[in-house]
Amino acid sequence: MRNILYIWPLLLFSLLSCAQEEHKKPNILFIILDDAGLDLSAYGGTYVNTPGFDAVAKQGVLFHNAYTPNAKCSPSRASLLTGRNPWQLDAAMNHYIYFPQKFKTFPEAFQEYGYSVGYTGKGYVPGSIVWEDGSERSLTGKRYDDKKTTPPTSAISTNDYAGNFEDFLSKTAQEQPWFFWVGINEPHRAYEYGSGVETGKKKLNDIKEVPAYWPDTPEVRNDLLDYAFEIEYGDTHIQRILKTLETQGLLENTLVVVTSDHGMPFPRVKGNQYEHANHVPMAAMWKGKIQPERTVNDHISFIDIAPTFMDFAEIDWKTSGMHPKAGNSIKNILLSKESGIVEPKRDFILVAKERHDPGRPNDSGYPIRGIFKKNMLYVKNYEPDRWPAGNPETGYPNIDSSPIKSVLIQQRRNGQTEYWQLNMGKRPMEELYNIQEDPDCVNNLVNNPEFKAIKNELGSFMEAELEAQGDLRMQGFGHLYEAHPFYKVGGVYDDFLQGNRTTPKWVKPEDRETHFLTGDGKELNEVPNLKTDER
């Protein structure tokens, strides 16, 4: 009897300890590449090898229909951090802005609910994120960037992402749950030209097919291989981070999600609202919780990420101080054992754009709304008279300078306008693409009678959804999105008219055109105020 009395408290303590362990809040590791498309080897990419990302997919879930609602760095990350669609974020719908103080982010909420929160590399940028009193505000937690490394090229960041993650872990109490954001800068431009061939040991014919919106030239292929090399470099840090989780025994209580903020930093991709612009890689794993080797085809938006992480952390959205969310948690999808379509209602994605980089009169934007549904993409350009990539005389600033951009501009100057038109030329008000048959989005079906019904259906459904979500563009007040000032980079077009020939740092001076152009690439009239020797 005495032995039973002694053993009972020990059994009770053991049961309580097991219960506490069972309900321990998970750690969450979020890894986001910068400007990486669906070229990763887990998706069948032929010229990019990503064993780190592939390992996450193999040990967990690979998403085949994950999208960002806005394919540019800071607006994409704003939706991810807040769980709200771009048209619900005021100034944060745009690029290079003053982040609205009223919007709390999920890492800020995590800090208030007992999580240790940190990040390394690229968090929310570019833009200003300070409080009204001028004090610094971090949307993604405490910065850990002290650890440096020697990268293989001068264009790659010296940030030791994996080393800084280890630094964070060493400074976090063992019993405290944590959230960490790894913002890998690669493959954001600039690149060291030829590094893919020289350093990455790749060959031009490793690329099986060049996208239909670019010419197939050695410059284009080299640019793609340099991009591939930078993705692979970023993936080496993913491999190291997974090894750290394994050696420290953290895999069993850590949800790992890996993605990219949008597609590749090339013409007609980044800064646009097409399939290759918005469709992003995404994989998630959690040893013992997420069943390995699953693939999910549900449509997942970045606005679903914040609700998912809050759900796993058991933080109530309504009492957390977060603004009402537009997305919904995918916790059930992650913990399901099913592949394919898990929640049939997730059958569409809304995307949008207002103003990205400067380069048009009055710092105006290029407003777009779009919907991916039924293997189709419907796009509406609300100001088709504007230049989609920025004005030619300012160098098409919404396209980062690159060998591919230079090839397209030079071809136009030589009288070849086909590819220039696809990438820089003006666009019709409506576009419609069959994503399954035409993922490059080059065959516009909007005037095809066979697709009239689906065009009307998608257009009406899209605008009704946007109206219900408070999109000012649907209410006749879209200009208010463009009224928010740029942070540091505005006035490029006005400077140009005043004779200032400076360009944003991501635009080459030689990219500036010396004539206005019509939609078919013909010269219309000379740009005003150009000196004779500049023509």
Side-chain angles (χ1 to χ4, degrees):
M1 182 67 179
R2 182 177 295 179
N3 289 338
I4 294 176
L5 291 175
Y6 279 124
I7 293 172
W8 173 245
L10 293 174
L11 290 173
L12 181 61
F13 177 78
S14 178
L15 289 171
L16 288 173
S17 297
C18 290
Q20 289 173 353
E21 185 68 26
E22 184 71 23
H23 291 288
K24 183 180 178 182
K25 290 188 176 183
N27 308 313
I28 299 176
L29 175 64
F30 183 67
I31 305 174
I32 181 167
L33 293 159
D34 197 2
D35 300 7
L38 289 177
D39 309 281
L40 285 63
S41 45
Y43 290 100
T46 60
Y47 65 100
V48 184
N49 185 30
T50 51
F53 179 87
D54 297 0
V56 176
K58 185 175 180 60
Q59 296 176 53
V61 181
L62 180 66
F63 290 94
H64 283 282
N65 284 305
Y67 288 81
T68 175
N70 196 335
K72 200 75 170 185
C73 296
S74 51
S76 173
R77 292 161 190 257
S79 284
L80 195 155
L81 287 163
T82 63
R84 292 172 67 81
N85 273 309
W87 48 91
Q88 300 170 321
L89 285 170
D90 298 346
M93 182 173 194
N94 299 324
H95 204 227
Y96 273 107
I97 51 84
Y98 297 86
F99 190 86
Q101 300 198 15
K102 65 181 180 180
F103 295 121
K104 179 184 281 190
T105 67
F106 75 82
E108 291 177 312
F110 270 43
Q111 285 180 304
E112 295 175 359
Y113 281 79
Y115 268 72
S116 175
V117 179
Y119 80 105
T120 187
K122 186 170 181 176
Y124 171 85
V125 289
S128 172
I129 44 176
V130 297
W131 295 108
E132 288 181 352
D133 61 4
S135 60
E136 184 179 355
R137 178 187 181 189
S138 175
L139 304 185
T140 49
K142 182 180 178 180
R143 178 186 288 274
Y144 287 81
D145 278 351
D146 290 342
K147 304 295 183 182
K148 303 297 180 183
T149 188
T150 302
T153 77
S154 59
I156 290 177
S157 170
T158 61
N159 189 316
D160 185 358
Y161 309 109
N164 284 306
F165 172 56
E166 292 180 25
D167 188 30
F168 166 77
L169 290 178
S170 71
K171 296 173 181 176
T172 298
Q174 189 172 3
E175 68 278 3
Q176 186 178 17
W178 50 262
F179 169 84
F180 196 74
W181 172 300
V182 181
I184 297 175
N185 291 72
E186 289 71 38
H188 193 287
R189 293 189 183 274
Y191 305 151
E192 189 173 295
Y193 187 76
S195 58
V197 171
E198 297 168 12
T199 311
K201 307 303 180 185
K202 296 181 179 296
K203 298 177 181 178
L204 296 186
N205 61 9
D206 288 342
I207 299 170
K208 302 305 180 186
E209 187 176 6
V210 170
Y213 38 79
W214 303 327
D216 190 347
T217 71
E219 295 86 355
V220 170
R221 286 177 173 263
N222 260 303
D223 208 6
L224 284 168
L225 293 181
D226 296 346
Y227 154 81
F229 178 63
E230 291 217 356
I231 293 178
E232 292 179 354
Y233 173 77
D235 190 77
T236 64
H237 285 270
I238 298 176
Q239 296 169 53
R240 286 176 56 199
I241 288 169
L242 293 177
K243 187 65 177 178
T244 295
L245 291 173
E246 181 182 7
T247 57
Q248 295 197 23
L250 294 170
L251 284 175
E252 288 77 7
N253 197 44
T254 302
L255 170 64
V256 181
V257 176
V258 187
T259 188
S260 171
D261 56 355
H262 48 70
M264 59 174 65
F266 291 79
R268 201 175 166 88
V269 187
K270 177 180 179 179
N272 290 275
Q273 305 300 307
Y274 294 125
E275 168 71 356
H276 291 168
N278 296 85
H279 199 164
V280 296
M282 185 181 293
M285 63 173 282
W286 185 356
K287 187 175 180 179
K289 299 292 194 302
I290 294 178
Q291 183 170 303
E293 299 190 58
R294 291 173 53 224
T295 57
V296 168
N297 296 329
D298 298 53
H299 283 70
I300 307 299
S301 173
F302 268 9
I303 62 173
D304 300 322
I305 300 300
T308 301
F309 289 166
M310 297 275 278
D311 197 1
F312 274 109
E314 300 176 8
I315 300 174
D316 183 77
W317 192 282
K318 293 181 179 179
T319 61
S320 67
M322 301 282 288
H323 266 68
K325 65 182 186 293
N328 293 289
S329 172
I330 61 170
K331 181 178 179 180
N332 290 338
I333 292 177
L334 290 171
L335 299 182
S336 170
K337 295 182 179 180
E338 297 180 28
S339 286
I341 298 295
V342 182
E343 295 182 355
K345 64 180 181 180
R346 292 180 176 273
D347 64 347
F348 71 94
I349 293 287
L350 295 173
V351 298
K353 169 184 174 180
E354 281 292 334
R355 192 192 65 209
H356 285 171
D357 291 323
R360 298 185 192 86
N362 303 314
D363 280 340
S364 61
Y366 192 80
I368 300 174
R369 301 293 186 272
I371 182 170
F372 290 85
K373 186 178 174 68
K374 295 182 178 180
N375 290 320
M376 304 294 291
L377 167 62
Y378 171 79
V379 171
K380 187 168 183 179
N381 303 304
Y382 288 84
E383 296 288 349
D385 289 336
R386 299 178 185 175
W387 294 97
N391 276 43
E393 59 273 23
T394 56
Y396 313 103
N398 207 46
I399 302 175
D400 296 341
S401 62
S402 66
I404 291 182
K405 181 178 180 180
S406 297
V407 165
L408 298 173
I409 293 174
Q410 190 56 52
Q411 283 193 347
R412 187 210 67 77
R413 290 170 181 168
N414 293 337
Q416 301 168 275
T417 61
E418 175 188 356
Y419 293 108
W420 171 89
Q421 177 61 46
L422 283 170
N423 291 271
M424 286 94 156
K426 291 185 178 180
R427 299 170 181 170
M429 178 171 285
E430 294 182 295
E431 301 175 70
L432 183 69
Y433 301 100
N434 185 325
I435 297 302
Q436 194 165 17
E437 297 180 4
D438 177 27
D440 291 347
C441 298
V442 294
N443 182 23
N444 187 4
L445 302 170
V446 75
N447 293 320
N448 187 324
E450 295 180 16
F451 292 89
K452 183 178 180 180
I454 187 66
K455 182 206 77 168
N456 292 337
E457 176 189 343
L458 291 178
S460 298
F461 179 82
M462 178 191 79
E463 293 197 332
E465 284 288 321
L466 294 169
E467 175 75 28
Q469 294 183 26
D471 187 344
L472 296 177
R473 180 72 54 185
M474 300 302 105
Q475 301 169 20
F477 298 101
H479 62 281
L480 295 178
Y481 291 120
E482 301 178 278
H484 299 288
F486 270 112
Y487 172 66
K488 290 187 176 181
V489 300
V492 170
Y493 188 85
D494 291 340
D495 286 350
F496 176 85
L497 292 182
Q498 294 169 14
N500 186 346
R501 295 298 179 262
T502 61
T503 57
K505 62 183 179 180
W506 59 89
V507 176
K508 294 180 180 178
E510 57 265 33
D511 290 344
R512 297 195 313 262
E513 300 277 22
T514 56
H515 294 77
F516 282 124
L517 306 169
T518 61
D520 58 5
K522 294 179 180 178
E523 296 176 355
L524 183 61
N525 60 281
E526 293 181 356
V527 174
N529 300 331
L530 272 177
K531 298 176 182 177
T532 303
D533 61 358
E534 289 183 299
R535 280 192 244 124

